[in-house]
């Protein structure tokens, strides 16, 4: 029984250690995640990361946002608590009107 347990453990260990590392992103390809900066009054701000494959993410910071800055790499879409819908193209900073807390967003590369 000990021989079986040791053999099974050795097999599992070799399978885990033999797993290939993920391939690095190709040069010039879109980033897997993008850091979007939400800017409020008096330069209050926070940054949240979004996947660039369209996977949505809730936004929990309650800052009343007046601008959204996108450093580039994807176009992003955000919903505000009072019904705003803001499209932020790659590399742009866009006004949110009227300023409001953002609740949900997603990005596509």
């Amino acid at each position: 029984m000990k021989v079986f347990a040791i053999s099974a453990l050795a097999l599992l260990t070799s399978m885990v250690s033999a797993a290939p590392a993920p391939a690095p992103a190709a040069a010039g390809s879109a980033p897997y995640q993008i850091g979007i900066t939400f800017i409020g009054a008096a330069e209050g701000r926070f940054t949240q990361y979004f996947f660039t494959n369209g996977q949505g993410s809730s936004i929990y910071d309650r800052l009343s946002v007046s601008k959204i800055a996108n450093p580039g790499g994807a176009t992003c879409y955000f919903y505000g608590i009072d019904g705003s819908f803001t499209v932020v193209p790659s590399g742009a900073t866009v006004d949110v009107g009227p300023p409001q807390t953002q609740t949900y967003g997603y990005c596509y590369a």
Side-chain angles (χ1 to χ4, degrees):
M1 184 64 169
K2 283 185 180 180
V3 172
F4 174 75
I6 292 171
S7 296
L9 181 60
L11 176 64
L12 289 173
T13 303
S14 68
M15 288 174 27
V16 170
S17 63
S29 67
Y32 187 59
Q33 289 186 342
I34 187 170
I36 301 297
T37 301
F38 298 87
I39 305 163
E43 293 305 311
R45 64 180 58 216
F46 69 94
T47 298
Q48 182 169 327
Y49 288 83
F50 294 85
F51 290 103
T52 60
N53 63 358
Q55 178 179 336
S57 183
S58 294
I59 303 167
Y60 295 106
D61 194 295
R62 293 295 135 211
L63 177 69
S64 180
V65 173
S66 56
K67 293 180 184 280
I68 302 174
N70 179 342
T75 296
C76 301
Y77 307 84
F78 299 98
Y79 294 90
I81 198 164
D82 295 326
S84 71
F85 177 70
T86 306
V87 178
V88 187
S90 179
T93 297
V94 175
D95 290 333
V96 175
Q100 59 194 276
T101 298
Q102 300 300 292
T103 59
Y104 186 80
Y106 57 96
C107 300
Y108 284 105

